[in-house]
Amino acid sequence: MNDVKVGGCDSAERIAISQVSVGEEERSAVLRVLDSGTLAKGEEGRLFEEEFASALGARHAVAVSSGTAALHLTLIAHGVGRGDEVITSPFTFQATINAILHVGAVPVFVDIDPATFNIVPSLVEDAVTSKTRALLPVHLFGHPCDLASLREIARARSIVLIEDAAQAIGASFNGEPIGRTGTACFSLYATKNITTGEGGMIVTDQKSVAESARMLRSHGARARDDFGAAGFNYRMSEVQAAIGRAQLRRLDSYTEARRRNARYLGEGLSSIETPAEMSWARHAYHHYCVRTGSQKERAKLQERLAAASVDTAIFYEKPAYAHEYLRASLGRSYALHETERACAELVALPVHPGLAKSDLDRIVAAANG
Ligand SMILES: Cc1ncc(COP(=O)(O)O)c(C=O)c1O
């Protein structure tokens, strides 16, 4: 671990909202791949999948080129297509919604819980129609959704449950790691809790979903010159997989560091609402988003932190449904209260494993003003 760049910043240095932590293990993994002469479709990819599945206690893992590719392939593999309705969150990164649009389905939005920022199961239940084919909840910021309720709705209404776990590696629900049961899609983008630079992983307990995803990520090829579908090139390279294997070994220590930092911030911060962790949740703190009382209060908090050279970020400025390009596909308008309030009031503070105690103290002092 001591080769990894996780040192804190001195008082003059900017505290970034996220920081890539790579070291000698990643460096030698990259060189190992370059020296092997196999840059694609090799052993590193196969081993990364095996180790990823094993880390979560899951049956199958399929490595792909991004979290968006993971969502896209998973929707296809579960048979979601043109005209189907997919119930999802309006408080998410737009990739969740784009994946639904890419298969020709219609996103249907329900409001979020003000404490977890995840969709509310009773509202999901009300939104189910005869056209609903799938639920696509997002474990936002690394806090798991109420999976027990969502699984029950999916079972009772015979609809598919696909989890957008892009931000939730290391999180668990009732002690069960996200991804162990059902089908979940992870992102391994550069700012995520572990990274391959760009990358994604589909984790599923259904062999048929894994087989479909494997075929579709590689042009639909079942064997050399035998194509079963109009697939894509959504493969992960060997260099990415080798980096991922090294990162995976640090998953537990990174998650623990994020959780420790979140606890420290939670104890120090006053007059702002710090993130909740439900009794059934293990939060992975991909983002540490605090709630200010208004857009104006948020701007003031950001100013205080900027003056102390602490970066902040807003996730997300607008509800997903408010983006103009989506209007025609939705066929209706939305105004969801808790989502709009979260867009106006939340701001993310640094929580990454590279923070030293002195960094956390600087964040707390600047935020408390
Ligand atoms: C909630 C959510 N879904 C999907 C994605 C897409 O992942 P990627 O950027 O790897 O395509 C992201 C990435 O930030 C995300 O945060």
Side-chain angles (χ1 to χ4, degrees), residues 108-163:
V108 172
F109 297 106
V110 297
D111 209 357
I112 56 166
D113 179 275
T116 64
F117 315 120
N118 291 327
I119 50 174
V120 177
S122 62
L123 299 177
V124 170
E125 179 119 54
D126 294 344
V128 174
T129 71
S130 58
K131 288 188 178 165
T132 307
R133 183 68 196 248
L135 309 183
L136 183 47
V138 182
H139 302 300
L140 200 73
F141 305 148
H143 190 293
C145 294
D146 176 358
L147 274 177
S149 304
L150 294 172
R151 282 175 183 157
E152 179 50 28
I153 296 168
R155 192 200 57 76
R157 309 297 287 262
S158 302
I159 47 187
V160 170
L161 176 63
I162 296 167
E163 298 162 49

Side-chain angles (χ1 to χ4, degrees), residues 22 24 43 45 49 53 55 62 72 123 125 137 221 238 275 289 300-301 308 366:
V22 292
E24 211 36 62
E43 271 297 279
E49 290 178 342
V62 181
H72 187 193
L123 299 177
E125 179 119 54
E238 287 288 277
C289 289
K300 281 198 218 156
L301 174 63

